[in-house]
Amino acid sequence: MGIISVEQTDRLYWLGRYTERVYSIMRLYVKTYDAMIDSIAMEHRTFCRKLDIPNVYVSPADFLKRYPFDENDCNSIISNLKRAYDNAVVLREEIGSESLAYIQLAIYSMQKASVIDAPVLEFQNVLDNLMAFWGIIDDQIESENVRNILKVGKRVERIDLYARLGSSRKDLTREVHRLTGRAGRCNLKYRTEVLENLNRMIEEDPLNYPEIVMEIEKFLGV
């Protein structure tokens, strides 16, 4: 299976999480951007509440500018993207230079978007580059272990976000089943009871989204 070090495993897991976080949040941000442009002035409050991040933005315009681009805001899109890049640089041998290059291209697109008046096209380029990153992961990485750790991180992040956003049972069920099928196929230490609890929770009616969030946050461990 290709056992790798604990440090590499941790970095792969978080690379998967950060790339998925940027991708999913960027898609949500673009929808919020359109709503705020259409004069739903305080839509950013809902955005922050759903993602459980502090609303430190003094106005809708401040949110639209700072949330994607402020590197001093640990919750911003660019901050999460740079965390992905920091992990990818260290993992160059595991993921390859081409995979790393697509994350770098996503950063370039964010930097370009920060200095233009209509950034939505560059936001799409960010999304496209992250999709290309995952395509290279599937196509060129020979180690099944590396691919699986990355995808476990991706699924954990997606379940976390879907629960926070109140997504449908169908979407949550799909991601929980994908995580369940993937987790045991790599050398990542995780709490098996978390998967058992998640599979039970997605069958409950109504879905208890806050409990799902709390449960997925306990995924790593022994």
Side-chain angles (χ1 to χ4, degrees), residues 98-118:
E98 192 170 356
S99 298
L100 172 63
Y102 277 113
I103 297 180
Q104 181 67 72
L105 286 170
I107 291 176
Y108 289 157
S109 292
M110 286 296 294
Q111 292 171 337
K112 185 175 180 181
S114 70
V115 296
I116 59 178
D117 294 331

Side-chain angles (χ1 to χ4, degrees), residues 195-221:
L195 289 181
E196 294 170 2
N197 292 336
L198 287 171
N199 278 281
R200 172 181 53 79
M201 289 175 175
I202 59 175
E203 299 295 331
E204 294 176 348
D205 191 19
L207 289 170
N208 191 324
Y209 292 109
E211 284 196 4
I212 293 173
V213 171
M214 288 189 291
E215 194 66 27
I216 195 63
E217 288 178 347
K218 297 185 291 186
F219 177 76
L220 282 191

Side-chain angles (χ1 to χ4, degrees), residues 108-173:
Y108 289 157
S109 292
M110 286 296 294
Q111 292 171 337
K112 185 175 180 181
S114 70
V115 296
I116 59 178
D117 294 331
V120 174
L121 179 59
E122 289 302 326
F123 291 157
Q124 184 59 53
N125 287 336
V126 173
L127 296 173
D128 291 345
N129 283 312
L130 293 179
M131 287 291 289
F133 164 82
W134 284 107
I136 292 296
I137 294 300
D138 277 332
D139 187 59
Q140 295 191 11
I141 293 183
E142 294 183 4
S143 171
E144 182 181 1
N145 191 32
V146 168
R147 294 197 306 272
N148 284 334
I149 296 168
L150 284 165
K151 290 182 179 180
V152 165
K154 179 179 183 177
R155 299 303 168 197
V156 168
E157 186 65 30
R158 191 171 287 187
I159 291 167
D160 183 275
L161 289 172
Y162 280 10
R164 292 181 187 277
L165 298 171
S167 296
S168 69
R169 184 187 305 275
K170 178 181 178 181
D171 287 342
L172 270 170
T173 298

Side-chain angles (χ1 to χ4, degrees), residues 44 48 53-60 62-63 66-67 73 75-76:
H44 72 286
C48 293
I53 61 176
N55 180 14
V56 297
Y57 312 103
V58 299
S59 67
D62 185 48
F63 171 80
R66 288 176 55 201
Y67 181 71
D73 180 353
N75 294 302
S76 70

